[in-house]
Amino acid sequence: MSNDNVRPMDQPKNPNQLERVLLAMLNPQNNIRRAAEKCLETFFENAACVPAMMQQIMSGPDARARQMAAVLLRKRLSVGLWRSSEKHWNATTNGLMRRLVEESVWPVRKAVAALACRVAKLTIPDGKWPQLLGFLVQLSTKPKEELRTVSMLLFRAMGENLGQHMVKHLEKYAKVCVQGLRDPAVRVRVEAFRAMEGVVGYLETKEHVEMYGNLIPLAVKSD
């Protein structure tokens, strides 16, 4: 079958059907992948796609489908789509926090973290999702290296994308970076160093600069 004559896929009506479409996105056959892409283009036109994709992320049995759901939702989650799914906001943000802790497959967890950052970009400027910062602080103290790493990944991403808002919480942000720079795991220290860089362009006061300056000796020692 040529790429110009793609057999259409039916719109998924339940989690199993959606999983099949998501896995078709990984199919090496171009015609199958193209059909899945076209199917999902229509699927993402409806706000119901947000809870459907979150259901895959939360409980899908196939890690590949969970990762694909997180990646695609992050890419497609526009301001308009997010606003149209308002009744699902709490379930989405609570689900993301829970999945960041419970997900056992690292590539999936990273994809969920990237999605969480996208949602944060859509919510934090409006004063929404106030639980996120405290949640990330808690993650940064967990015994599992993967959870501490994902905390630093999100702090870094939020510093880069929401620096003007994160600098308002610079004392807490700096405290987490200090913990990260002192972490025994190299991966955590690397991400903590990168998280430091995320807010440097948003430092506004002498106190901010002094607080940031106190991190530099730790950063030098963390390599």
Side-chain angles (χ1 to χ4, degrees):
M1 185 183 296
S2 69
N3 286 345
D4 295 327
N5 187 26
V6 177
R7 182 178 179 182
M9 287 185 176
D10 293 333
Q11 284 295 295
K13 294 181 174 59
N14 58 57
N16 289 337
Q17 292 176 358
L18 179 55
E19 181 184 75
R20 285 196 290 272
V21 177
L22 292 170
L23 293 176
M25 290 287 291
L26 302 171
N27 197 292
Q29 296 185 37
N30 289 338
N31 60 312
I32 295 176
R33 195 167 60 251
R34 282 278 305 279
E37 290 171 356
K38 288 189 173 184
C39 177
L40 289 170
E41 283 178 9
T42 302
F43 186 74
F44 275 105
E45 292 175 358
N46 192 313
C49 70
V50 175
M53 285 294 186
M54 282 302 302
Q55 186 175 7
Q56 285 292 319
I57 293 166
M58 295 298 298
S59 58
D62 194 311
R64 297 170 300 166
R66 295 198 304 275
Q67 183 179 4
M68 182 60 70
V71 169
L72 291 177
L73 186 54
R74 174 183 61 81
K75 290 182 176 180
R76 301 283 189 140
L77 195 57
S78 63
V79 173
L81 179 57
W82 178 249
R83 287 177 177 169
S84 67
S85 63
E86 182 174 1
K87 66 181 179 179
H88 303 293
W89 285 1
N90 285 338
T92 299
T93 53
N94 290 336
L96 287 171
M97 289 188 292
R98 190 162 84 246
R99 200 65 205 159
L100 283 169
V101 174
E102 296 177 354
E103 178 57 59
S104 60
V105 180
W106 177 247
V108 182
R109 183 179 270 151
K110 282 188 69 175
V112 174
L115 172 58
C117 182
R118 175 59 183 159
V119 173
K121 194 173 181 179
L122 293 169
T123 55
I124 287 179
D126 295 328
K128 308 295 184 182
W129 206 1
Q131 310 95 325
L132 179 59
L133 188 58
F135 168 75
L136 294 180
V137 171
Q138 290 181 354
L139 274 193
S140 71
T141 64
K142 294 294 185 181
K144 288 186 178 181
E145 176 187 335
E146 292 83 0
L147 294 180
R148 301 195 306 275
T149 301
V150 84
S151 173
M152 295 302 160
L153 280 170
L154 270 165
F155 267 107
R156 170 195 172 191
M158 290 170 65
E160 292 171 349
N161 293 281
L162 294 160
Q164 69 271 34
H165 300 282
M166 295 301 291
V167 79
K168 298 174 185 176
H169 307 281
L170 188 61
E171 185 173 355
K172 189 174 290 186
Y173 192 98
K175 183 178 179 181
V176 170
C177 286
V178 166
Q179 289 176 329
L181 292 169
R182 290 173 172 167
D183 200 278
V186 172
R187 184 166 58 170
V188 178
R189 296 200 302 273
V190 168
E191 292 303 332
F193 181 83
R194 291 173 175 169
M196 278 180 57
E197 297 177 321
V199 295
V200 68
Y202 299 95
L203 303 178
E204 298 174 341
T205 67
K206 180 180 178 181
E207 288 76 14
H208 286 167
V209 174
E210 289 177 351
M211 197 179 303
Y212 188 88
N214 291 333
L215 297 176
I216 295 176
L218 285 172
V220 172
K221 293 178 182 178
S222 69
D223 56 9

